[in-house]
Amino acid sequence: VRDSKDVVFSHESYEAQRAQYAEVAGAVDLPEGGASENAAIELVDDKGNVVQTTASTKSGQYRFQNVDAGRYKVRVKKQGFKAVEQKLDAVAGAEAAAPAVAPARE
């Protein structure tokens, strides 16, 4: 099994990117210990636009890199569960830890 992810392209060094942009990280925690991999995760700006997407790992973890500072929602979608959103603030040069998301069964 191979994990892969797309990131926003930048000419800056990794250190410069970390100083200029925020990162958003979190986890999907399904009820009853269900498989949390491959949940669709969207980072949504304050205007309702999806700015980045990713999928959760086998352990339910996810991360968005090179995020502009601002207010966002993390939206989690998983087949068989209701979509859920969590609000957060992203600050340049820091990692915003999104609360663990536990979608309810449909």
Side-chain angles (χ1 to χ4, degrees), residues 64-88:
F64 295 104
Q65 296 176 304
N66 296 347
V67 175
D68 290 325
R71 293 189 61 74
Y72 293 91
K73 289 183 219 172
V74 173
R75 183 180 301 144
V76 177
K77 298 177 183 176
K78 176 94 172 145
Q79 185 173 6
F81 294 86
K82 295 179 183 176
V84 64
E85 295 181 345
Q86 295 283 347
K87 294 180 182 179
L88 61 89

PDB file of all heavy atoms in Angstrom, residues 64-88:
ATOM      1  N   PHE A  64      -2.748  19.282   5.987  1.00  0.00           N
ATOM      2  CA  PHE A  64      -2.724  20.231   4.874  1.00  0.00           C
ATOM      3  C   PHE A  64      -1.497  21.123   5.083  1.00  0.00           C
ATOM      4  O   PHE A  64      -1.298  21.656   6.172  1.00  0.00           O
ATOM      5  CB  PHE A  64      -3.974  21.110   4.861  1.00  0.00           C
ATOM      6  CG  PHE A  64      -5.242  20.351   4.595  1.00  0.00           C
ATOM      7  CD1 PHE A  64      -6.128  20.075   5.623  1.00  0.00           C
ATOM      8  CD2 PHE A  64      -5.563  19.931   3.320  1.00  0.00           C
ATOM      9  CE1 PHE A  64      -7.304  19.387   5.391  1.00  0.00           C
ATOM     10  CE2 PHE A  64      -6.745  19.235   3.069  1.00  0.00           C
ATOM     11  CZ  PHE A  64      -7.607  18.964   4.112  1.00  0.00           C
ATOM     12  N   GLN A  65      -0.694  21.295   4.036  1.00  0.00           N
ATOM     13  CA  GLN A  65       0.493  22.143   4.117  1.00  0.00           C
ATOM     14  C   GLN A  65       0.319  23.365   3.234  1.00  0.00           C
ATOM     15  O   GLN A  65      -0.529  23.393   2.349  1.00  0.00           O
ATOM     16  CB  GLN A  65       1.730  21.363   3.687  1.00  0.00           C
ATOM     17  CG  GLN A  65       2.031  20.211   4.626  1.00  0.00           C
ATOM     18  CD  GLN A  65       3.191  19.377   4.138  1.00  0.00           C
ATOM     19  OE1 GLN A  65       3.169  18.881   3.020  1.00  0.00           O
ATOM     20  NE2 GLN A  65       4.194  19.224   4.976  1.00  0.00           N
ATOM     21  N   ASN A  66       1.144  24.389   3.496  1.00  0.00           N
ATOM     22  CA  ASN A  66       1.146  25.635   2.726  1.00  0.00           C
ATOM     23  C   ASN A  66      -0.235  26.283   2.684  1.00  0.00           C
ATOM     24  O   ASN A  66      -0.747  26.645   1.634  1.00  0.00           O
ATOM     25  CB  ASN A  66       1.680  25.412   1.309  1.00  0.00           C
ATOM     26  CG  ASN A  66       3.126  24.988   1.303  1.00  0.00           C
ATOM     27  OD1 ASN A  66       3.826  25.084   2.308  1.00  0.00           O
ATOM     28  ND2 ASN A  66       3.605  24.514   0.180  1.00  0.00           N
ATOM     29  N   VAL A  67      -0.830  26.431   3.861  1.00  0.00           N
ATOM     30  CA  VAL A  67      -2.150  27.030   4.014  1.00  0.00           C
ATOM     31  C   VAL A  67      -1.990  28.507   4.350  1.00  0.00           C
ATOM     32  O   VAL A  67      -1.220  28.854   5.261  1.00  0.00           O
ATOM     33  CB  VAL A  67      -2.935  26.314   5.143  1.00  0.00           C
ATOM     34  CG1 VAL A  67      -4.261  26.991   5.395  1.00  0.00           C
ATOM     35  CG2 VAL A  67      -3.119  24.842   4.802  1.00  0.00           C
ATOM     36  N   ASP A  68      -2.695  29.387   3.642  1.00  0.00           N
ATOM     37  CA  ASP A  68      -2.680  30.806   3.988  1.00  0.00           C
ATOM     38  C   ASP A  68      -3.323  30.996   5.353  1.00  0.00           C
ATOM     39  O   ASP A  68      -4.254  30.277   5.727  1.00  0.00           O
ATOM     40  CB  ASP A  68      -3.449  31.628   2.947  1.00  0.00           C
ATOM     41  CG  ASP A  68      -2.737  31.689   1.609  1.00  0.00           C
ATOM     42  OD1 ASP A  68      -1.484  31.720   1.598  1.00  0.00           O
ATOM     43  OD2 ASP A  68      -3.423  31.711   0.577  1.00  0.00           O
ATOM     44  N   ALA A  69      -2.841  31.979   6.103  1.00  0.00           N
ATOM     45  CA  ALA A  69      -3.419  32.271   7.416  1.00  0.00           C
ATOM     46  C   ALA A  69      -4.878  32.683   7.256  1.00  0.00           C
ATOM     47  O   ALA A  69      -5.255  33.312   6.271  1.00  0.00           O
ATOM     48  CB  ALA A  69      -2.627  33.383   8.096  1.00  0.00           C
ATOM     49  N   GLY A  70      -5.715  32.296   8.213  1.00  0.00           N
ATOM     50  CA  GLY A  70      -7.124  32.679   8.169  1.00  0.00           C
ATOM     51  C   GLY A  70      -8.013  31.683   8.882  1.00  0.00           C
ATOM     52  O   GLY A  70      -7.549  30.737   9.499  1.00  0.00           O
ATOM     53  N   ARG A  71      -9.320  31.935   8.785  1.00  0.00           N
ATOM     54  CA  ARG A  71     -10.323  31.055   9.399  1.00  0.00           C
ATOM     55  C   ARG A  71     -10.767  30.012   8.375  1.00  0.00           C
ATOM     56  O   ARG A  71     -11.031  30.346   7.220  1.00  0.00           O
ATOM     57  CB  ARG A  71     -11.529  31.868   9.871  1.00  0.00           C
ATOM     58  CG  ARG A  71     -11.180  32.811  11.018  1.00  0.00           C
ATOM     59  CD  ARG A  71     -12.375  33.466  11.647  1.00  0.00           C
ATOM     60  NE  ARG A  71     -13.357  32.570  12.244  1.00  0.00           N
ATOM     61  CZ  ARG A  71     -13.203  31.902  13.386  1.00  0.00           C
ATOM     62  NH1 ARG A  71     -12.079  31.974  14.047  1.00  0.00           N
ATOM     63  NH2 ARG A  71     -14.179  31.142  13.862  1.00  0.00           N
ATOM     64  N   TYR A  72     -10.858  28.778   8.829  1.00  0.00           N
ATOM     65  CA  TYR A  72     -11.216  27.666   7.962  1.00  0.00           C
ATOM     66  C   TYR A  72     -12.172  26.720   8.668  1.00  0.00           C
ATOM     67  O   TYR A  72     -12.345  26.770   9.885  1.00  0.00           O
ATOM     68  CB  TYR A  72      -9.967  26.861   7.556  1.00  0.00           C
ATOM     69  CG  TYR A  72      -9.017  27.613   6.673  1.00  0.00           C
ATOM     70  CD1 TYR A  72      -7.972  28.355   7.217  1.00  0.00           C
ATOM     71  CD2 TYR A  72      -9.151  27.589   5.291  1.00  0.00           C
ATOM     72  CE1 TYR A  72      -7.091  29.058   6.411  1.00  0.00           C
ATOM     73  CE2 TYR A  72      -8.275  28.282   4.469  1.00  0.00           C
ATOM     74  CZ  TYR A  72      -7.247  29.013   5.039  1.00  0.00           C
ATOM     75  OH  TYR A  72      -6.384  29.705   4.231  1.00  0.00           O
ATOM     76  N   LYS A  73     -12.732  25.812   7.866  1.00  0.00           N
ATOM     77  CA  LYS A  73     -13.454  24.661   8.375  1.00  0.00           C
ATOM     78  C   LYS A  73     -12.788  23.432   7.774  1.00  0.00           C
ATOM     79  O   LYS A  73     -12.380  23.448   6.606  1.00  0.00           O
ATOM     80  CB  LYS A  73     -14.917  24.660   7.925  1.00  0.00           C
ATOM     81  CG  LYS A  73     -15.780  25.690   8.567  1.00  0.00           C
ATOM     82  CD  LYS A  73     -17.202  25.500   8.071  1.00  0.00           C
ATOM     83  CE  LYS A  73     -17.845  26.840   7.852  1.00  0.00           C
ATOM     84  NZ  LYS A  73     -19.148  26.748   7.210  1.00  0.00           N
ATOM     85  N   VAL A  74     -12.686  22.386   8.550  1.00  0.00           N
ATOM     86  CA  VAL A  74     -12.265  21.094   8.042  1.00  0.00           C
ATOM     87  C   VAL A  74     -13.524  20.258   7.926  1.00  0.00           C
ATOM     88  O   VAL A  74     -14.252  20.086   8.894  1.00  0.00           O
ATOM     89  CB  VAL A  74     -11.250  20.422   8.994  1.00  0.00           C
ATOM     90  CG1 VAL A  74     -10.953  19.005   8.542  1.00  0.00           C
ATOM     91  CG2 VAL A  74      -9.965  21.234   9.064  1.00  0.00           C
ATOM     92  N   ARG A  75     -13.793  19.775   6.713  1.00  0.00           N
ATOM     93  CA  ARG A  75     -14.989  18.976   6.443  1.00  0.00           C
ATOM     94  C   ARG A  75     -14.562  17.531   6.200  1.00  0.00           C
ATOM     95  O   ARG A  75     -13.681  17.269   5.379  1.00  0.00           O
ATOM     96  CB  ARG A  75     -15.719  19.512   5.223  1.00  0.00           C
ATOM     97  CG  ARG A  75     -17.010  18.783   4.898  1.00  0.00           C
ATOM     98  CD  ARG A  75     -17.690  19.363   3.660  1.00  0.00           C
ATOM     99  NE  ARG A  75     -17.998  20.775   3.857  1.00  0.00           N
ATOM    100  CZ  ARG A  75     -17.938  21.696   2.893  1.00  0.00           C
ATOM    101  NH1 ARG A  75     -17.557  21.368   1.675  1.00  0.00           N
ATOM    102  NH2 ARG A  75     -18.244  22.944   3.149  1.00  0.00           N
ATOM    103  N   VAL A  76     -15.175  16.602   6.933  1.00  0.00           N
ATOM    104  CA  VAL A  76     -14.854  15.185   6.807  1.00  0.00           C
ATOM    105  C   VAL A  76     -16.054  14.447   6.230  1.00  0.00           C
ATOM    106  O   VAL A  76     -17.171  14.582   6.719  1.00  0.00           O
ATOM    107  CB  VAL A  76     -14.483  14.585   8.184  1.00  0.00           C
ATOM    108  CG1 VAL A  76     -14.219  13.096   8.065  1.00  0.00           C
ATOM    109  CG2 VAL A  76     -13.281  15.305   8.770  1.00  0.00           C
ATOM    110  N   LYS A  77     -15.788  13.655   5.172  1.00  0.00           N
ATOM    111  CA  LYS A  77     -16.828  12.845   4.541  1.00  0.00           C
ATOM    112  C   LYS A  77     -16.341  11.402   4.474  1.00  0.00           C
ATOM    113  O   LYS A  77     -15.205  11.154   4.076  1.00  0.00           O
ATOM    114  CB  LYS A  77     -17.102  13.327   3.119  1.00  0.00           C
ATOM    115  CG  LYS A  77     -17.618  14.744   3.019  1.00  0.00           C
ATOM    116  CD  LYS A  77     -17.782  15.132   1.567  1.00  0.00           C
ATOM    117  CE  LYS A  77     -18.229  16.555   1.397  1.00  0.00           C
ATOM    118  NZ  LYS A  77     -18.294  16.941  -0.025  1.00  0.00           N
ATOM    119  N   LYS A  78     -17.197  10.487   4.885  1.00  0.00           N
ATOM    120  CA  LYS A  78     -16.869   9.060   4.833  1.00  0.00           C
ATOM    121  C   LYS A  78     -18.149   8.306   4.529  1.00  0.00           C
ATOM    122  O   LYS A  78     -19.192   8.583   5.137  1.00  0.00           O
ATOM    123  CB  LYS A  78     -16.286   8.609   6.175  1.00  0.00           C
ATOM    124  CG  LYS A  78     -15.993   7.138   6.292  1.00  0.00           C
ATOM    125  CD  LYS A  78     -14.572   6.830   5.929  1.00  0.00           C
ATOM    126  CE  LYS A  78     -14.273   5.351   6.250  1.00  0.00           C
ATOM    127  NZ  LYS A  78     -13.380   4.775   5.309  1.00  0.00           N
ATOM    128  N   GLN A  79     -18.089   7.383   3.593  1.00  0.00           N
ATOM    129  CA  GLN A  79     -19.277   6.630   3.201  1.00  0.00           C
ATOM    130  C   GLN A  79     -19.866   5.930   4.425  1.00  0.00           C
ATOM    131  O   GLN A  79     -19.154   5.317   5.212  1.00  0.00           O
ATOM    132  CB  GLN A  79     -18.932   5.614   2.126  1.00  0.00           C
ATOM    133  CG  GLN A  79     -20.146   4.891   1.591  1.00  0.00           C
ATOM    134  CD  GLN A  79     -19.801   4.003   0.403  1.00  0.00           C
ATOM    135  OE1 GLN A  79     -18.643   3.830   0.042  1.00  0.00           O
ATOM    136  NE2 GLN A  79     -20.810   3.431  -0.195  1.00  0.00           N
ATOM    137  N   GLY A  80     -21.200   6.075   4.587  1.00  0.00           N
ATOM    138  CA  GLY A  80     -21.895   5.460   5.703  1.00  0.00           C
ATOM    139  C   GLY A  80     -21.985   6.350   6.929  1.00  0.00           C
ATOM    140  O   GLY A  80     -22.581   5.973   7.935  1.00  0.00           O
ATOM    141  N   PHE A  81     -21.365   7.568   6.858  1.00  0.00           N
ATOM    142  CA  PHE A  81     -21.358   8.501   7.978  1.00  0.00           C
ATOM    143  C   PHE A  81     -21.836   9.873   7.512  1.00  0.00           C
ATOM    144  O   PHE A  81     -21.678  10.224   6.350  1.00  0.00           O
ATOM    145  CB  PHE A  81     -19.951   8.633   8.570  1.00  0.00           C
ATOM    146  CG  PHE A  81     -19.462   7.374   9.210  1.00  0.00           C
ATOM    147  CD1 PHE A  81     -18.826   6.399   8.462  1.00  0.00           C
ATOM    148  CD2 PHE A  81     -19.653   7.150  10.559  1.00  0.00           C
ATOM    149  CE1 PHE A  81     -18.380   5.228   9.041  1.00  0.00           C
ATOM    150  CE2 PHE A  81     -19.215   5.984  11.156  1.00  0.00           C
ATOM    151  CZ  PHE A  81     -18.571   5.017  10.397  1.00  0.00           C
ATOM    152  N   LYS A  82     -22.384  10.646   8.423  1.00  0.00           N
ATOM    153  CA  LYS A  82     -22.787  12.016   8.112  1.00  0.00           C
ATOM    154  C   LYS A  82     -21.536  12.884   8.014  1.00  0.00           C
ATOM    155  O   LYS A  82     -20.598  12.734   8.800  1.00  0.00           O
ATOM    156  CB  LYS A  82     -23.697  12.565   9.210  1.00  0.00           C
ATOM    157  CG  LYS A  82     -25.012  11.845   9.314  1.00  0.00           C
ATOM    158  CD  LYS A  82     -25.845  12.413  10.434  1.00  0.00           C
ATOM    159  CE  LYS A  82     -27.135  11.612  10.575  1.00  0.00           C
ATOM    160  NZ  LYS A  82     -27.937  12.056  11.704  1.00  0.00           N
ATOM    161  N   ALA A  83     -21.528  13.804   7.056  1.00  0.00           N
ATOM    162  CA  ALA A  83     -20.410  14.743   6.928  1.00  0.00           C
ATOM    163  C   ALA A  83     -20.387  15.630   8.174  1.00  0.00           C
ATOM    164  O   ALA A  83     -21.429  15.968   8.732  1.00  0.00           O
ATOM    165  CB  ALA A  83     -20.561  15.596   5.681  1.00  0.00           C
ATOM    166  N   VAL A  84     -19.199  15.985   8.623  1.00  0.00           N
ATOM    167  CA  VAL A  84     -19.050  16.811   9.817  1.00  0.00           C
ATOM    168  C   VAL A  84     -17.995  17.878   9.542  1.00  0.00           C
ATOM    169  O   VAL A  84     -17.074  17.664   8.760  1.00  0.00           O
ATOM    170  CB  VAL A  84     -18.697  15.942  11.052  1.00  0.00           C
ATOM    171  CG1 VAL A  84     -17.355  15.274  10.893  1.00  0.00           C
ATOM    172  CG2 VAL A  84     -18.772  16.728  12.326  1.00  0.00           C
ATOM    173  N   GLU A  85     -18.148  19.051  10.180  1.00  0.00           N
ATOM    174  CA  GLU A  85     -17.207  20.154  10.005  1.00  0.00           C
ATOM    175  C   GLU A  85     -16.702  20.631  11.363  1.00  0.00           C
ATOM    176  O   GLU A  85     -17.437  20.586  12.348  1.00  0.00           O
ATOM    177  CB  GLU A  85     -17.878  21.338   9.300  1.00  0.00           C
ATOM    178  CG  GLU A  85     -18.304  21.057   7.887  1.00  0.00           C
ATOM    179  CD  GLU A  85     -18.950  22.265   7.217  1.00  0.00           C
ATOM    180  OE1 GLU A  85     -19.323  23.231   7.907  1.00  0.00           O
ATOM    181  OE2 GLU A  85     -19.104  22.222   5.987  1.00  0.00           O
ATOM    182  N   GLN A  86     -15.447  21.089  11.381  1.00  0.00           N
ATOM    183  CA  GLN A  86     -14.839  21.692  12.570  1.00  0.00           C
ATOM    184  C   GLN A  86     -14.207  23.013  12.144  1.00  0.00           C
ATOM    185  O   GLN A  86     -13.525  23.063  11.122  1.00  0.00           O
ATOM    186  CB  GLN A  86     -13.742  20.785  13.148  1.00  0.00           C
ATOM    187  CG  GLN A  86     -14.244  19.472  13.672  1.00  0.00           C
ATOM    188  CD  GLN A  86     -14.905  19.623  15.028  1.00  0.00           C
ATOM    189  OE1 GLN A  86     -14.801  20.641  15.697  1.00  0.00           O
ATOM    190  NE2 GLN A  86     -15.612  18.590  15.441  1.00  0.00           N
ATOM    191  N   LYS A  87     -14.425  24.071  12.915  1.00  0.00           N
ATOM    192  CA  LYS A  87     -13.818  25.371  12.621  1.00  0.00           C
ATOM    193  C   LYS A  87     -12.435  25.453  13.258  1.00  0.00           C
ATOM    194  O   LYS A  87     -12.189  24.855  14.295  1.00  0.00           O
ATOM    195  CB  LYS A  87     -14.691  26.496  13.169  1.00  0.00           C
ATOM    196  CG  LYS A  87     -16.031  26.604  12.485  1.00  0.00           C
ATOM    197  CD  LYS A  87     -16.839  27.743  13.069  1.00  0.00           C
ATOM    198  CE  LYS A  87     -18.202  27.818  12.409  1.00  0.00           C
ATOM    199  NZ  LYS A  87     -19.015  28.892  12.961  1.00  0.00           N
ATOM    200  N   LEU A  88     -11.548  26.225  12.602  1.00  0.00           N
ATOM    201  CA  LEU A  88     -10.224  26.453  13.173  1.00  0.00           C
ATOM    202  C   LEU A  88      -9.613  27.708  12.579  1.00  0.00           C
ATOM    203  O   LEU A  88     -10.058  28.206  11.550  1.00  0.00           O
ATOM    204  CB  LEU A  88      -9.306  25.253  12.949  1.00  0.00           C
ATOM    205  CG  LEU A  88      -8.985  24.841  11.511  1.00  0.00           C
ATOM    206  CD1 LEU A  88      -7.767  25.557  10.994  1.00  0.00           C
ATOM    207  CD2 LEU A  88      -8.786  23.356  11.456  1.00  0.00           C
TER     208      LEU A  88
END
